[in-house]
Amino acid sequence: QVQLVESGGGLVQPGGSLRLSCAASGSIFSINAMGWYRQAPGKQRELVADITNNGGTNYADSVKGRFTISRDNAKNTVYLQMDSLTPEDTALYYCNLKQTRWGVRYTYWGQGTQVTVSS
């Protein structure tokens, strides 16, 4: 099994910044990608950003230019730097890890960390 431990959420004013971290541990074999999803009340979970094992990144259009995803492969940790936050960024943010083992793909989720942007 894989455990994902998230940290860094909280309450911030519009225009502020937060940095989320997610550390993976357990039965880690061949990670394909790590990333962040979010889910606001009454909405579906959506991809925020992800990063592949070779450093390729993918961002939701709504966060491009404001959020930056990075990864420390040696620590199996992924970070999400969030700048210029708006109330629309308020959501529960979930860490996600995808890996392949013996040709089978697995997906793991963290428990989520709340980000609230409000004055």
Side-chain angles (χ1 to χ4, degrees), residues 78-94:
V78 64
Y79 306 95
L80 185 68
Q81 177 66 41
M82 305 185 293
D83 299 318
S84 302
L85 285 160
T86 73
E88 288 70 37
D89 296 314
T90 296
L92 192 59
Y93 283 69
Y94 295 93

Side-chain angles (χ1 to χ4, degrees), residues 2-7 21-25 36 77-78 95 109-112:
V2 172
Q3 294 78 43
L4 300 175
V5 178
E6 302 136 327
S7 61
S21 299
C22 172
S25 62
W36 294 92
T77 299
V78 64
C95 181
W109 294 94
Q111 292 191 331

Side-chain angles (χ1 to χ4, degrees), residues 4-104:
L4 300 175
V5 178
E6 302 136 327
S7 61
L11 173 64
V12 64
Q13 292 186 342
S17 298
L18 282 174
R19 188 189 194 213
L20 305 182
S21 299
C22 172
S25 62
S27 302
I28 296 172
F29 293 90
S30 178
I31 297 177
N32 302 119
M34 294 184 72
W36 294 92
Y37 288 69
R38 68 185 180 186
Q39 187 168 18
K43 295 187 177 180
Q44 289 188 332
R45 190 174 298 188
E46 62 176 0
L47 172 70
V48 177
D50 63 14
I51 183 167
T52 65
N53 209 37
N54 60 8
T57 58
N58 182 37
Y59 293 93
D61 287 343
S62 59
V63 307
K64 284 181 180 177
R66 300 188 298 121
F67 291 11
T68 303
I69 191 168
S70 61
R71 182 171 158 182
D72 185 333
N73 289 338
K75 296 181 179 180
N76 292 323
T77 299
V78 64
Y79 306 95
L80 185 68
Q81 177 66 41
M82 305 185 293
D83 299 318
S84 302
L85 285 160
T86 73
E88 288 70 37
D89 296 314
T90 296
L92 192 59
Y93 283 69
Y94 295 93
C95 181
N96 172 273
L97 183 150
K98 299 180 177 69
Q99 72 171 354
T100 300
R101 183 180 180 185
W102 298 331
V104 179

